Amino acid sequence: MQSIINISWVSICDTLVSLSAAFILGGIVGLERQVRQRTAGLRTNVLVCVGAAIFVDIAMRYHQLHGGSPSPMQVIAYVVSGVGFLGAGAIMREEGNVRGINTAATLWGSAAIGCAAGADMIIEAILATAFVLAANTLLRPMVNRINRQPLDTEVEASYTVHIIGPRELRRELLAQIKLACAAAKIPLHDIDIAPFDGDEIEIEAVLLPTSLDSVELDQLVETLRLEPQVKQAFWSVSTME
């Protein structure tokens, strides 16, 4: 009997308007996705939009009849988090490339449109639809033009000299690598010491970025190898933008 008592034709008409708006606006967003053959197309965006509208509309009607918790804002928060999980399913990783982020964001936008429609904010829902649609259409040529621009980046090489020797001769090893770099007129940037194997340590001397060549580094390493305390000596290079 309570369900019959709760029937209100005004509320039913209000719900019909909200769901119709969510259906149409979600369809507009989804149509653009469907034309571009994205993972989440027409039906998915409509269902997300209408589903969000249903949840918010029910929450608002329940709050009007009974008050208390949950409030419509709490339900909207649950919708946002729930659609986040749904959007995660649209994101795919293929050969190191991440795809579907824009589709996931569009689903999030569709949910927001549905929430606005369910909250009887039809004008706001229409505006949100326009902005979501504009982001997926008007910004596309700009993004494509930016992506076609060549990257003007300079690659800087960082050189590191490694020596390995006994732990108890740590001070002597440090002095040797400093003297060798000073003799070769190669400035040091940083020195790091780490355990290597058993009673041995590895000293990594990071050189300041300069126009060094492999011949100079080979000569430096060869000088260090001549020292009796040095068991191994070599150099490495890494690049950074």
Side-chain angles (χ1 to χ4, degrees), residues 125-190:
I126 294 173
L127 289 174
T129 303
F131 277 97
V132 171
L133 202 60
N136 282 335
T137 55
L138 300 182
L139 294 183
R140 184 176 297 275
M142 183 186 300
V143 171
N144 292 336
R145 178 174 296 181
I146 293 173
N147 288 340
R148 284 196 294 266
Q149 296 296 322
L151 294 177
D152 185 16
T153 57
E154 295 182 357
V155 178
E156 189 177 75
S158 175
Y159 299 95
T160 304
V161 176
H162 309 257
I163 62 171
I164 298 171
R167 186 189 303 271
E168 62 271 13
L169 299 177
R170 170 179 171 177
R171 291 186 178 180
E172 289 82 351
L173 292 170
L174 282 171
Q176 286 169 358
I177 196 168
K178 289 179 181 179
L179 287 173
C181 289
K185 296 182 179 180
I186 299 176
L188 284 171
H189 174 64
D190 191 20

Side-chain angles (χ1 to χ4, degrees), residues 4-122:
I4 297 176
I5 295 173
N6 288 337
I7 292 177
S8 170
W9 290 108
V10 175
S11 297
I12 291 174
C13 291
D14 181 79
T15 300
L16 181 61
V17 171
S18 296
L19 297 186
S20 299
F23 185 90
I24 294 171
L25 297 176
I28 293 173
V29 174
L31 184 62
E32 184 272 335
R33 296 281 86 192
Q34 190 71 47
V35 169
R36 299 187 186 279
Q37 298 182 356
R38 299 308 186 207
T39 306
L42 179 61
R43 291 184 300 169
T44 305
N45 280 276
V46 169
L47 287 171
V48 168
C49 195
V50 171
I54 292 172
F55 282 122
V56 175
D57 185 78
I58 292 174
M60 290 188 65
R61 187 175 178 190
Y62 180 88
H63 196 68
Q64 290 172 356
L65 292 174
H66 307 287
S69 184
S71 68
M73 288 306 300
Q74 288 177 301
V75 174
I76 291 174
Y78 298 147
V79 170
V80 171
S81 60
V83 174
F85 284 104
L86 185 63
I91 299 174
M92 297 177 292
R93 186 180 181 90
E94 295 179 356
E95 299 179 356
N97 297 321
V98 178
R99 300 181 58 189
I101 295 179
N102 189 71
T103 299
T106 303
L107 287 176
W108 211 29
S110 294
I113 294 168
C115 288
D120 298 331
M121 303 169 70
I122 305 300

Side-chain angles (χ1 to χ4, degrees), residues 187-241:
L188 284 171
H189 174 64
D190 191 20
I191 294 180
D192 186 36
I193 303 174
F196 182 71
D197 185 18
D199 295 331
E200 295 179 346
I201 58 172
E202 179 180 6
I203 299 178
E204 297 181 355
V206 181
L207 310 179
L208 282 174
T210 57
S211 57
L212 291 172
D213 56 33
S214 59
V215 176
E216 293 177 290
L217 291 168
D218 288 339
Q219 291 175 350
L220 175 61
V221 168
E222 193 62 34
T223 301
L224 291 169
R225 285 175 182 166
L226 295 176
E227 299 294 335
Q229 298 90 346
V230 177
K231 293 189 175 182
Q232 295 183 47
F234 57 94
W235 63 272
S236 63
V237 60
S238 60
T239 57
M240 52 186 175
E241 294 183 357

